[in-house]
Structures are given as C-alpha cells and as structure tokens.
Amino acid sequence: MFNLEQTIADWRRQMRAAGIKSPVPLEELEIHLHDEIEKQMKSGLTELEAFNSGVRKIGQAHALKNEFKKIEETTMMNWTTMKKIIHGLILAVFGFGCLFTWGILQMAPMAILGHPDRGLPGFTTLCINLRPLVAVLPVLAAGYCVWVWFRKSDRVPSWVGFFAAAMGVLVLVTLPAMVAAYLPLLDALNH
Amino acid sequence: MITRELVAASTEPMILSLLSGGESYGYALIQEVKRLSGDKIEWADGMLYPVLHRMENEGWIASRWGEAENGRKRKYYSLKKDGKKVLSDQREQWLAVSKVFRQLWKEQYV
C-alpha cells in the first residue's frame, strides 16, 4: 500500500543524505513537491504517479546540492572579504592611536622647557625611553594583517579577537603615556 | 521549446518582473511563467530555488514565511528597492535587444 507522507519523508531523507542539509531549501522543496502532487492528482494521476512526476520535475539531489553550494560559497567569499576589510579598519584605528601616544610622549619634555634644572619625573623618563615600543606595535599589527590578507586558507581569523587585542594594547599604552605627559605639567604648575 | 541558455539568461529578469506585480512563491512563479509562455518556457522546478536564494543574498528580493490557503507553510518572495533598480536596468537591455531583432526581421521578411 502506497503511503504518500512516508514516501515524501523518505525522499526528504535521501535529499539530506545527498548533501542538501540546510533546512530552508529542503523545506521549500518539500512544500513545492506537495503543491505539484496536489496539482497532478487533480488532473487525474494517482498518488504514486503524481509523486514520481513531482520528484522528476524537482530534479536530482546532486545537481541541486551543487547549485546551493555555489550560493554558500559566494556568501562565504563576501564575508571573508568583509572580515579582511574590518581587519584593515582596526589596524588604521590602532595605528592612529599609537601615533597619538607617540605625539603625547614627544610633547612631555616641553613642560620643562626653559627650566632644565627641574628634570623630568622618573615615570615620564621611563615612558619616553620606552617610546620605540609604540612604533613597533603598529608594525606587528600590520604584519598580522598582511598575514590575514594574503594567507592561502579561506578561513579568516575572527576580527573580534584582533579588535579586543588591539584596543586592549592601545589602552595599556596610551593611559601610561597620558599620565607620563601630565606629571611634568603638574610639576610645572606646582612650581 | 526555448533553449536552456536563453531560459537561464532570462530567469532573473522574469522573476523580478513577476515579483514587481506583488509577492509570490516558487511554485506559483513557475506556473505563471509556464502559462505566460504558452508552455514554451519550463523552468527546472528545483533549480528555481537556488536562483531565488541567490537573488535574496544579492539584496534584490526579500522573503517571509507565511501560511497558504490550505494551511501549509509557504515562503513568499517580494521585490526590494535594489531589485526594482536591477529590473529597470535589465528591462532596458532586453528591450534594446528586442528592438534590434524587430528591426532586423522586419527588414528581412516584410
């Protein structure tokens, strides 16, 4: 005895086994099959004949899978490009932040201009001596981005991790630099 | 019957044109094209859905799940603003091609 619902469930399993795993297209195809069977039965075919005709019209699972795969690949490619662009933007913000920090440290000794006897606070001197590090950090970040942009693999590392690391480092570098620039100013005001 | 290449080339503008008349679903789109072409254009049923999904990814059409008269779930597609623009561009191109053919065949056969 032919059981239409059971046969459709079997067809669905076959489609899934052939690689159409995403639920949306499979559900749509099944609804389409139901519509086609309904129409064929109204024109006089039996359930079995209508089912066979509908399945034939929908086509081979393998061919359908290839078509859906092409779309997934395009979507994936767009997202990959987007992630690379986001990496670039984070690098730009990070680079600008480092330049800003460099500028602050560059200006710190100006507070004692005309008063060479006063000297800079120890912390400020330490930060000024560590200034080359501020130049090295964007170079390292740029190196990482170049690796992300030009690596052969389709998988681009998450931009969230890069964003968190870049902003964390920026805060750790900029805050002490601001304190280091503020200390000689405070010293000058006290005198 | 119309060749597979021509059918493939005209699928997107036809879908956009059909959806410009209001939202619709896969099965109805196929039936409508079949009716309008006098059974000369027959889309491979299953192949329509990858095309619809691609057009949705492009941002030309939108989709929503709804309920059919028979209570069954159904995915309805509608035209988006970008889709209208693409349709307008494609319409111009097809009309230009059609105009050339009309002129050529008018000169040859009339």
Side-chain angles (χ1 to χ4, degrees):
Chain A
M1 182 75 182
F2 180 74
N3 182 333
L4 181 62
E5 289 309 316
Q6 184 57 48
T7 314
I8 290 175
D10 289 343
W11 169 82
R12 192 186 168 105
R13 263 194 296 278
Q14 281 168 22
M15 296 294 267
R16 201 179 293 134
I20 302 180
K21 295 202 167 62
S22 178
V24 173
L26 194 50
E27 203 168 349
E28 258 188 303
L29 289 171
E30 190 179 328
I31 294 164
H32 184 102
L33 183 60
H34 274 288
D35 283 337
E36 182 61 24
I37 290 169
E38 215 170 276
K39 187 193 163 207
Q40 296 290 354
M41 284 175 67
K42 273 183 192 158
S43 69
L45 294 188
T46 64
E47 274 190 337
L48 177 62
E49 287 166 340
F51 171 79
N52 287 336
S53 161
V55 166
R56 204 170 40 248
K57 279 187 173 179
I58 282 179
Q60 296 285 317
H62 181 71
L64 286 174
K65 183 198 144 194
N66 286 342
E67 289 303 312
F68 281 114
K69 201 175 159 194
K70 276 184 212 164
I71 301 166
E72 277 168 21
E73 280 170 359
T74 313
T75 312
M76 183 84 88
M77 214 158 70
N78 290 345
W79 179 227
T80 304
T81 311
M82 186 61 82
K83 280 207 273 191
K84 286 180 179 176
I85 293 170
I86 294 172
H87 271 81
L89 290 173
I90 295 169
L91 175 66
V93 171
F94 184 68
F96 184 76
C98 287
L99 191 69
F100 174 72
T101 307
W102 179 278
I104 289 174
L105 291 174
Q106 190 79 17
M107 286 192 298
M110 289 179 186
I112 56 160
L113 275 179
H115 305 280
D117 53 311
R118 273 191 212 151
L120 286 167
F123 183 69
T124 306
T125 312
L126 176 73
C127 287
I128 290 171
N129 289 338
L130 288 175
R131 204 170 43 184
L133 188 69
V134 180
V136 170
L137 290 171
V139 174
L140 288 175
Y144 172 73
C145 284
V146 168
W147 175 75
V148 166
W149 291 329
F150 297 106
R151 71 196 290 243
K152 292 258 162 56
S153 168
D154 287 338
R155 291 181 64 85
V156 172
S158 163
W159 62 269
V160 180
F162 181 52
F163 178 76
M167 294 307 120
V169 169
L170 204 56
V171 168
L172 284 175
V173 170
T174 309
L175 278 182
M178 287 173 90
V179 172
Y182 181 67
L183 285 176
L185 272 177
L186 202 67
D187 214 25
L189 286 172
N190 285 339
H191 284 86
Chain B
M1 285 300 250
I2 295 170
T3 62
R4 205 187 328 169
E5 289 76 15
L6 191 54
V7 170
S10 60
T11 302
E12 283 181 3
M14 276 188 196
I15 292 172
L16 292 171
S17 303
L18 289 165
L19 293 179
S20 69
E23 69 172 10
S24 190
Y25 55 96
Y27 190 77
L29 292 172
I30 290 172
Q31 298 305 312
E32 190 61 4
V33 164
K34 223 173 139 184
R35 187 185 68 81
L36 290 170
S37 68
D39 286 348
K40 280 184 182 158
I41 297 178
E42 206 168 327
W43 287 339
D45 289 16
M47 291 302 176
L48 174 70
Y49 295 96
V51 178
L52 286 168
H53 286 218
R54 192 180 61 238
M55 291 169 75
E56 194 178 358
N57 281 350
E58 296 282 352
W60 301 347
I61 59 174
S63 71
R64 68 166 183 94
W65 283 101
E67 201 174 286
E69 314 82 61
N70 54 14
R72 206 174 286 146
K73 256 174 82 179
R74 192 162 269 165
K75 200 174 178 193
Y76 291 93
Y77 293 90
S78 56
L79 198 60
K80 284 175 77 176
K81 203 176 158 189
D82 280 0
K84 281 182 191 165
K85 201 176 162 293
V86 174
L87 173 60
S88 159
D89 293 345
Q90 295 211 2
R91 189 171 179 271
E92 261 178 48
Q93 291 175 35
W94 281 93
L95 286 176
V97 172
S98 161
K99 190 180 167 191
V100 171
F101 279 127
R102 271 204 309 270
Q103 302 260 4
L104 281 171
W105 291 330
K106 195 173 158 190
E107 284 165 16
Q108 284 173 15
Y109 297 112
V110 179

